[in-house]
Amino acid sequence: HLLTGRGSIVSVIGDAGLGKSRLLAELKNQVTGWNLLWLEGRAVSFSKSISYWPFLQIIKTCAGITEEDDEGESWEKLERKVTSLFPAQVAEILPYIASLLALEVRNELSERVKYLDGEAMGRQIFRATRRFFKRLSLRYPLLLVFEDLQWADQSSVSLLEHLFPLVREVPLLICCVSRLYHHSPGTHLL
């Protein structure tokens, strides 16, 4: 489906140790050499307290930002990536993706975020992130993998849900992988 321009959502749910990660590794091996972009983010147990954790990993990987990069290098790499995707609309995307990554918004672009409250910033981050992934998937069929989704923070879950409708518009496959929790009556799943 993905290579013919159609997207979809896949959910892989199972007990710990069942082989979910191995299944993904096999899939990744199968698609190696195909003309598509594979990006993944993994939620971890401490990430419930960090907004957008899996998205931070995915966007940093996409922009080539590494742990060794300082704030300036990270900004420059993100700016290059956004400029390559949105040459005429950098100001509509970059300040909000940078804010998502907790990078200080620079130059005249800082005016775009200076007076936004949390709710308005959240809306702009959602809008810019959706546009970012849409444009990316129009360049290359895109496979976004979210591992250990059971640990994801609410902001990440909400942003992921915001992206779901994109699969009907562009070649985007969203793969959500999470652990199955057995629960007794009276307890709730995520």
Side-chain angles (χ1 to χ4, degrees):
H1 286 298
L2 197 57
L3 296 181
T4 60
R6 293 179 31 216
S8 58
I9 300 167
V10 175
S11 186
V12 180
I13 302 169
D15 288 324
L18 196 60
K20 298 179 298 296
S21 294
R22 179 152 187 256
L23 180 67
L24 276 180
E26 290 294 324
L27 176 61
K28 195 170 188 178
N29 282 339
Q30 290 285 323
V31 301
T32 299
W34 293 13
N35 188 27
L36 61 78
L37 182 57
W38 177 296
L39 295 170
E40 64 185 80
R42 174 184 300 271
V44 289
S45 59
F46 67 81
S47 70
K48 277 196 180 288
S49 62
I50 303 171
S51 295
Y52 306 113
W53 181 263
F55 285 97
L56 303 181
Q57 296 170 318
I58 287 169
I59 293 170
K60 284 179 179 180
T61 299
C62 182
I65 298 169
T66 67
E67 294 300 316
E68 292 77 40
D69 291 334
D70 63 22
E71 173 108 2
E73 292 166 322
S74 297
W75 171 268
E76 288 170 16
K77 288 179 176 182
L78 182 62
E79 185 176 36
R80 272 196 304 274
K81 186 64 180 184
V82 170
T83 302
S84 75
L85 291 170
F86 298 92
Q89 300 157 322
V90 172
E92 295 172 29
I93 306 296
L94 182 57
Y96 311 111
I97 302 286
S99 295
L100 172 73
L101 298 182
L103 295 173
E104 182 183 345
V105 179
R106 298 171 174 222
N107 311 323
E108 69 282 353
L109 294 177
S110 65
E111 290 298 314
R112 292 205 168 234
V113 298
K114 188 187 282 186
Y115 301 108
L116 295 180
D117 63 17
E119 190 176 316
M121 177 63 85
R123 281 194 304 274
Q124 291 296 340
I125 286 173
F126 273 45
R127 186 175 156 275
T129 304
R130 186 181 196 282
R131 290 181 66 193
F132 181 84
F133 287 121
K134 182 176 183 176
R135 182 68 54 95
L136 202 56
S137 63
L138 289 170
R139 289 255 170 108
Y140 303 99
L142 177 60
L143 207 157
L144 289 180
V145 178
F146 295 87
E147 283 211 62
D148 291 326
L149 206 52
Q150 75 276 0
W151 297 118
D153 63 284
Q154 188 54 53
S155 299
S156 294
V157 172
S158 297
L159 182 51
L160 183 56
E161 289 171 349
H162 183 70
L163 296 180
F164 283 165
L166 273 180
V167 303
R168 292 192 298 264
E169 302 173 30
V170 294
L172 168 65
L173 187 137
I174 298 174
C175 181
C176 303
V177 183
S178 60
R179 189 177 304 164
L180 180 66
Y181 283 104
H182 298 286
H183 62 285
S184 56
T187 61
H188 302 289
L189 293 173
L190 260 162

